[in-house]
Amino acid sequence: MSILVDENSRVIIQGITGHQGMFHAKAMLGFGTKVVAGVTPGKAGETVHGVPVFDSVHGAVKSTDADTSMILVPAPFALDASFEAIDAGIGLIVIITERIPFHDAIRIVAYARQKGTTIIGPNCPGVISPGKCKVGIMPSGIFEQGTVGVVSRSGTLTYEIVNAITESGLGQSTCVGIGGDPIIGSNIVEVLKMFEGDEETESIVIVGEIGGTAEENAAEHVKGMRKSVYAYIAGRTAPPGKRMGHAGAIIARGKGTAESKIAALNEAGVDVAKHPAEIAELIKGG
């Protein structure tokens, strides 16, 4: 068991004929993901690494029974690509594309919630259940099947922490990169609820960062959870008044600081690591 994706997921890639689409299609196929189709308007009849390409998501779903989509199209086309996937009945959409205009992201998330579609991202590394399925751009070699669930706002920090977890011998059940933009589909609390119901997940790691209140909200939710939760918060030494990192990493009127997030998580009983590699030590010692 895992969350969001597994060995039965049937995946399409919107934008598969672009450079990034072709590269990551090959990587996902090599990981064992069932990539059943690609979608690029005007390219129907072509193939990419043996995967058939369709003009529309509707045509791809009708021919392949796809249930999951990864979107890799340029930002100006992400709104239409997302709406097309939602209207075609895709249940899970992972939006890798970055720099999607905020108003477009708001419309995508609102329409998906109205239709009951789960969105991961935008501007995220994707979702991976080691040994089963990868829908994203994460480096496959650092993941190992195990019992730790990871939900993260940062792709790069995810890789560092996952690598430490793998080297410790624990491995991961599912890793979810939710993205660091101010407007995202699924938030930390929603992913925590999924992990809480997953029999394969024994402990959970939150990889947060400065800005917003997502980690404080997660801390309130953690108080009612049965499983052990650990965390790392990036941005402890971020200089005030300087733009850096993700668009969502904004501290306003003293709220959203690393100190406030760490205090909220500690108060909820969550051990917070001082550096990424310490996460594995905390889990093994917990």
Side-chain angles (χ1 to χ4, degrees), residues 179-200:
D181 281 359
I183 308 297
I184 56 173
S186 299
N187 57 45
I188 296 175
V189 170
E190 289 170 319
V191 178
L192 288 177
K193 290 178 180 177
M194 297 179 203
F195 279 134
E196 183 79 336
D198 177 31
E199 296 176 357
E200 192 173 299

Side-chain angles (χ1 to χ4, degrees), residues 81 100 266:
I100 294 177
N266 283 336

